[in-house]
Amino acid sequence: MDLRYSPYDFNVHEDPYPVYARLRDEAPVFRDEADDIWVLSRHADVLAALRDSTAYSSVNGLRIEPAFWGPDAERFFSFVAMDPPRHTRMRGLVSRAFTQRRVQELEPRLREIARSYVERLASGGTFDLMTDFAGPFPTDVISELVGVPEADRDEVRRLGAAIMYRDDESSDLPPEALQAIGALVGYYTELTKERAGERRDDLLSGLLNAAEGDDRLTPEEIVGVLILLVGAGIETSMLTLGNAWYAAWRHPDERARAFGGRVADWVEETLRYDPPSQALARTTTTEVRLHGTTVPEGARVLLLVGSANRDPEVFPDPDRFDLDRDTGASLAFGNGRHHCLGANLGRLETRIALEEMVEVVADYDIDAGGLRRIHASNNRGFAALPTAVTARR
């Protein structure tokens, strides 16, 4: 059978891992002519490209859908769609606000939020994990981090859902999602103006205060960072929760271990085994020669993180879901200068969400006939995961 791969192929979305294995073995530098992209699938090559921001530029964004790709990509991705020196400046300033201390201090409040969802869901017995918990909980986490007033959070949650839950017959953003992004830009612009006059102990105030000498983030740059958090801080966490829930359901022995106190390992192995971000796009700034193939300057390159995390050269028996595995080489949060700044927050909120579920849920089942996947060029996960739980007595 001819080797074919497209990031838009619905069959690939259902289970990309057999295709990834063939790419690694037969065509580690694959040319997808229909979509005009080059694809790297081996761990060593993906890691090298992530670390080489000179040859592999981020200025056109991380996603190849037309709505996201191109010179205006920073409207969606802020400093993540920049190269040095602009990236160095922006990331440095944002890092001053997005501190480990600020993230860790959120834990008690995040537990309260998670518990309020979990207790309600467990008492009902059946629910959709994605729409009833995995989607709204990370949205509330970001609102808590940023400093969105309680009175506004229902609306922010609604707008976030409009962006995240796409029509599964489309690989691009629908008009209502673009409208929701516009509404969030307007909301965060007004909130930034308000917080400029009255600082609080939240990320938005931290971004306003962040300075390197006389250099500060502009209000427009701050709003860009807040919009980035919708995708980087909400959607990926939502998908990770769903992927963890599904993987444990498919592997009952590992589920029992996860429920027996191994939640942190459950999170890490999920991020390795079935990461929410399957691919990261780059643009070559020079001709690249790799495995006897020449990738031209100006080419769109897709770095398959999902494939790299299943590379048997790095992870023995990679298709096995194993909580005892060493996941240290996982590329789920990227690598190099674009390593995800919110990795600690993502791990924390996913761990808290699952720990709170395990506290009240003894076991669960998923209605396989009702599950529904999202369809996107880079992300993998679920739009629906109908669940029936057995509550702890």
Side-chain angles (χ1 to χ4, degrees):
M1 185 190 305
D2 289 342
L3 177 56
R4 297 179 181 176
Y5 169 78
S6 166
Y8 298 122
D9 188 331
F10 281 20
N11 291 323
V12 170
H13 297 170
E14 287 300 317
D15 185 7
Y17 298 107
V19 180
Y20 292 166
R22 288 193 64 190
L23 289 172
R24 290 191 304 268
D25 290 343
E26 301 172 31
V29 182
F30 179 77
R31 176 80 167 108
D32 173 14
E33 295 185 3
D35 299 311
D36 189 26
I37 56 174
W38 298 78
V39 182
L40 305 186
S41 52
R42 291 181 179 172
H43 187 282
D45 298 331
V46 172
L47 177 60
L50 289 171
R51 289 177 170 175
D52 187 355
S53 58
T54 301
Y56 296 89
S57 169
S58 298
V59 294
N60 287 313
L62 315 182
R63 295 175 58 163
I64 61 173
E65 289 101 330
F68 295 109
W69 181 262
D72 295 328
E74 65 184 66
R75 287 191 305 139
F76 298 103
F77 300 112
S78 181
F79 62 93
V80 180
M82 298 177 186
D83 291 334
R86 294 182 68 221
H87 172 268
T88 306
R89 169 190 171 265
M90 278 280 292
R91 184 178 174 111
L93 288 169
V94 173
S95 297
R96 289 176 175 272
F98 206 145
T99 62
Q100 178 67 2
R101 178 192 65 79
R102 176 164 274 126
V103 169
Q104 292 301 323
E105 288 178 350
L106 282 172
E107 180 164 355
R109 177 60 182 140
L110 299 194
R111 285 200 181 278
E112 289 180 14
I113 296 171
R115 195 168 296 134
S116 70
Y117 281 104
V118 167
E119 290 177 349
R120 190 164 62 245
L121 295 176
S123 65
T126 61
F127 54 88
D128 184 337
L129 183 86
M130 303 312 296
T131 57
D132 294 332
F133 184 43
F137 173 63
T139 307
D140 288 350
V141 169
I142 294 302
S143 289
E144 190 73 24
L145 173 70
V146 169
V148 174
E150 291 274 359
D152 297 343
R153 292 187 183 183
D154 284 345
E155 179 63 7
V156 169
R157 191 181 301 118
R158 184 188 70 79
L159 293 171
I163 295 167
M164 291 184 294
Y165 299 116
R166 295 180 295 277
D167 179 351
D168 66 2
E169 294 301 318
S170 172
S171 62
D172 210 347
L173 281 176
E176 56 268 25
L178 293 172
Q179 292 166 6
I181 290 173
L184 277 174
V185 168
Y187 174 78
Y188 283 137
T189 297
E190 292 305 311
L191 188 63
T192 300
K193 291 177 182 176
E194 176 185 312
R195 196 67 87 253
E198 182 185 351
R199 301 290 204 277
R200 299 181 185 178
D201 186 19
D202 53 37
L203 178 65
L204 180 49
S205 298
L207 292 169
L208 286 161
N209 291 333
E212 182 69 46
D214 293 331
D215 187 22
R216 294 180 179 274
L217 295 167
T218 67
E220 292 76 17
E221 288 172 335
I222 290 172
V223 171
V225 171
L226 301 182
I227 295 300
L228 170 65
L229 287 174
V230 174
I234 297 177
E235 185 168 24
T236 53
S237 294
M238 172 189 81
L239 297 178
T240 301
L241 277 171
N243 290 352
W245 200 245
Y246 182 73
W249 175 68
R250 291 288 305 273
H251 300 86
D253 289 344
E254 297 306 287
R255 180 169 79 245
R257 300 171 76 199
F259 273 53
R262 301 283 298 275
V263 170
D265 296 325
W266 181 13
V267 173
E268 293 302 323
E269 176 63 345
T270 297
L271 288 167
R272 196 282 310 176
Y273 179 81
D274 199 14
S277 295
Q278 291 277 305
L280 299 170
R282 294 291 191 268
T283 306
T284 52
T285 61
T286 186
E287 190 177 89
V288 175
R289 184 78 175 166
L290 192 61
H291 301 299
T293 300
T294 299
V295 180
E297 178 183 349
R300 295 195 300 174
V301 180
L302 211 55
L303 309 178
L304 294 184
V305 171
S307 174
N309 277 1
R310 296 278 189 112
D311 191 332
E313 293 295 316
V314 179
F315 302 101
D317 196 7
D319 295 326
R320 181 164 52 91
F321 187 69
D322 180 7
L323 300 194
D324 287 332
R325 184 186 302 280
D326 179 359
T327 60
S330 170
L331 299 178
F333 288 108
N335 202 281
R337 68 174 66 250
H338 284 286
H339 182 269
C340 179
L341 197 59
N344 289 329
L345 176 61
R347 286 185 165 103
L348 176 69
E349 64 182 295
T350 306
R351 176 175 59 80
I352 287 173
L354 293 174
E355 285 174 349
E356 292 302 319
M357 287 291 276
V358 167
E359 278 292 311
V360 299
V361 172
D363 204 359
Y364 65 94
D365 195 18
I366 291 174
D367 176 7
L371 65 81
R372 183 163 47 89
R373 288 194 173 276
I374 66 164
H375 292 284
S377 70
N378 69 320
N379 284 349
R380 174 171 163 79
F382 296 92
L385 268 181
T387 297
V389 299
T390 302
R392 292 191 186 275
R393 300 300 179 190

